[in-house]
Amino acid sequence: MVDVAQNALIRRLVRAGAGSDDEIDAVLKDAGLTDVARVLVAEVLFRSPEPVNTAPVDVALDVTHGGERYSVALRMVRDEAIRVIGDDSARVRSRVTFTAAGLVRRLFGPADSQRTGDFHNSFVPTPEDPERVRELLAEMNTVLRAAAQATATLMAGCTGRCPDLGELSIRYGSDKWASFHWYTAHYERHFAPYRDRAVRILEIGIGGFDDDLGGGSLKMWKRYFPRGTVLGLDLYDKTALTEPRLTALVGDQNDPEYLTGLAREHGPFDIVIDDGSHVNEHVRTSFRTLFPYVRPGGLYVIEDLQTAYFTDFGGSTGGVAGPDTSLGLVKELIDDLHHREHREPSVTRPTPTQSTVTGVHAYHNIVFVEKGTNGEDTLPSWMDADVWTALGAK
C-alpha cells in the first residue's frame, strides 16, 4: 500500500520533473536521496517491459546526488518479473548510473525531451588477471549478450516515452484492443494532447474475474500518462492493486451520494472513463453525477454502448435506443450541444450539460464527451428559414 507521505512525495516529483533544477533540489533536500530513489526505482520497474534475455543477469541501477549514492541490484530473465535482490547474492554484469535530478526529468519531465548522454553505463566486472579475461571471453556470447538485453530492458523503463496504447493494452492484459474491443486507436486520438500533463483519471470498472484482481486498464493508463494519477472504482474490493500513482476504490457507480463524495475527495478529474456495469441506468447516473467534476477541457468517456440494445441491461428492442439508455444520453448531449439553435427553447437558462458540453465524438460502442464552455451564439433572430435559404442559394 502507498502511504500519505509517499503519495505527497510522488506528487512533488511529478511537478518537479517539469520544473526547474531548484525544484528538484528542494524535493531531494526535504525527502532525502533514499526516499526519492526508492520512488524512482519503483517507477522504473513498473515502466520496464518484460525481459527478453534467456540467461539470468543482474543489473545495478545507481542514483546519485551530491556525494550520496543509492544502489539497487535487479535480476532479470525472460518469463519472470524483474526483482530486487540483495547485494550478497548479486553478480552484477552491468551498472547504469543516473543523477537523481536526471532520472526525475527522464521519468516525469516532458516526454519529447532529448535524453542522451545523461547517464553512465559500464559492463562489469573489469578483469584484473589474464585468467579472468579468458573466462569473460568464453562467456561473451551468452552472458554479455544477455547483459546488453537486460540493460536495454532497464533503459526502456527510464523514460517517459512509451509504446502505443494497443501494445500497452496487450502488455497489461486490458481488453480494449485486439480482444472484445478495438478502442485504443480512438483513445490515442483523443488522449494524445494530455500525455505530458499531470492528469487525474478516474476509470469506473476495474475488471477481473474470480481470483483475478484485474486492473489491466489502470496500469495501461498509468504507463501511458507518465505524470498522471489513476484511480479505479469497482463494486468489489480491488484495493490490493493500489500502488504509486494508482489507487483502487470500492463503491457503487449507481449511488449518487457516494460518487459525489468520491469526486469531492479525489477530483476534479481531467478524464473519466465508464467501463463499469454497462447497465444503462448506472451509466446515466454516473454521468449526471460525475460530469460536473470533470475539469474544463477534460473528457468523459463511455464504453460498451451496445448495451443500449440489450434488454437485460435496461436497453431497448427494435434497433432504436430509447431515451433512458446510454445512447439515449448521447443523443440528449448532441441536442444540448446545439441548444442555442432550438427555435422554441423549453428553458430560459441552459442546463449544466447545455452550458458545458462542447463536443460529442461517437465511434462503434464508445463515445468521448468534451467539456468546456458552450458559448457559441446562434444565428441572429431575424435570420429565419426564408433568409437562410436565400443566403444559401447565393
Side-chain angles (χ1 to χ4, degrees):
M1 299 296 286
V2 183
D3 60 27
V4 174
Q6 189 177 17
N7 270 328
L9 177 56
I10 293 168
R11 287 194 295 270
R12 289 191 67 187
L13 288 171
V14 168
R15 289 194 299 269
S20 65
D21 291 341
D22 290 341
E23 290 180 70
I24 299 176
D25 288 340
V27 178
L28 284 161
K29 182 178 180 181
D30 293 344
L33 176 63
T34 297
D35 285 349
V36 169
R38 284 174 177 164
V39 168
L40 299 179
V41 169
E43 187 71 28
V44 169
L45 291 180
F46 170 76
R47 298 189 190 190
S48 296
E50 294 182 1
V52 297
N53 48 290
T54 55
V57 174
D58 298 340
V59 177
L61 174 60
D62 293 350
V63 184
T64 65
H65 180 63
E68 298 181 85
R69 179 181 297 267
Y70 179 92
S71 184
V72 62
L74 307 170
R75 181 154 294 169
M76 301 189 198
V77 64
R78 192 171 67 186
D79 298 329
E80 293 184 15
I82 303 172
R83 59 190 177 95
V84 177
I85 60 174
D87 292 340
D88 294 340
S89 60
R91 190 180 181 190
V92 172
R93 294 296 190 184
S94 173
R95 183 176 297 276
V96 179
T97 303
F98 288 97
T99 66
L103 191 51
V104 167
R105 292 208 180 282
R106 269 184 166 257
L107 296 175
F108 301 123
D112 59 355
S113 298
Q114 293 296 317
R115 301 296 182 202
T116 56
D118 61 347
F119 66 96
H120 176 74
N121 173 241
S122 60
F123 287 93
V124 290
T126 300
E128 297 179 355
D129 60 82
E131 289 300 320
R132 185 65 183 126
V133 172
R134 283 190 288 271
E135 182 182 338
L136 279 177
L137 289 174
E139 62 186 15
M140 182 176 292
N141 287 335
T142 55
V143 174
L144 292 187
R145 174 178 170 80
Q149 292 172 327
T151 303
T153 297
L154 174 64
M155 292 302 294
C158 298
T159 179
R161 297 186 182 91
C162 75
D164 66 30
L165 275 173
E167 183 176 337
L168 291 181
S169 177
I170 300 302
R171 177 190 297 185
Y172 294 115
S174 169
D175 68 355
K176 297 189 192 298
W177 177 253
S179 180
F180 299 115
H181 312 296
W182 299 88
Y183 293 155
T184 57
H186 306 309
Y187 275 118
E188 288 268 12
R189 181 180 300 112
H190 290 281
F191 283 7
Y194 301 84
R195 284 292 311 280
D196 281 345
R197 303 182 193 176
V199 292
R200 182 166 289 267
I201 302 161
L202 171 66
E203 181 161 27
I204 302 169
I206 294 177
F209 301 93
D210 297 327
D211 58 349
D212 175 16
L213 281 175
S217 295
L218 301 182
K219 293 181 179 180
M220 178 177 72
W221 301 133
K222 176 182 171 181
R223 182 66 182 91
Y224 184 77
F225 296 102
R227 306 181 66 231
T229 298
V230 180
L231 300 103
L233 172 64
D234 204 276
L235 192 60
Y236 301 98
D237 187 352
K238 305 294 182 70
T239 53
L241 291 168
T242 296
E243 62 186 34
R245 296 201 297 118
L246 190 161
T247 301
L249 305 169
V250 184
D252 184 353
Q253 77 167 111
N254 200 38
D255 182 345
E257 185 176 352
Y258 170 79
L259 293 179
T260 299
L262 179 156
R264 288 174 176 170
E265 179 180 358
H266 298 284
F269 305 107
D270 299 280
I271 295 169
V272 175
I273 303 165
D274 186 347
D275 187 19
S277 70
H278 310 308
V279 174
N280 286 268
E281 177 191 351
H282 300 179
V283 171
R284 294 175 67 91
T285 297
S286 298
F287 180 85
R288 295 299 183 192
T289 307
L290 292 173
F291 192 68
Y293 295 94
V294 175
R295 297 182 194 272
L299 292 170
Y300 195 105
V301 187
I302 304 172
E303 293 189 7
D304 293 340
L305 297 169
Q306 70 272 11
T307 61
Y309 307 106
F310 296 175
T311 55
D312 289 348
F313 287 75
S316 304
T317 60
V320 177
D324 294 330
T325 66
S326 56
L327 276 173
L329 171 63
V330 174
K331 296 173 186 179
E332 290 174 29
L333 296 178
I334 295 174
D335 281 333
D336 287 346
L337 178 63
H338 298 90
H339 76 95
R340 293 182 183 275
E341 313 306 329
H342 302 176
R343 287 310 187 189
E344 296 179 1
S346 58
V347 293
T348 57
R349 179 177 296 178
T351 66
T353 49
Q354 287 175 339
S355 300
T356 60
V357 171
T358 57
V360 181
H361 304 268
Y363 306 92
H364 186 217
N365 292 336
I366 188 170
V367 65
F368 295 76
V369 182
E370 296 180 355
K371 184 172 182 179
T373 300
N374 185 15
E376 263 186 67
D377 209 346
T378 185
L379 298 172
S381 58
W382 53 264
M383 189 175 286
D384 57 18
D386 291 337
V387 174
W388 181 250
T389 301
L391 288 173
K394 290 183 178 180

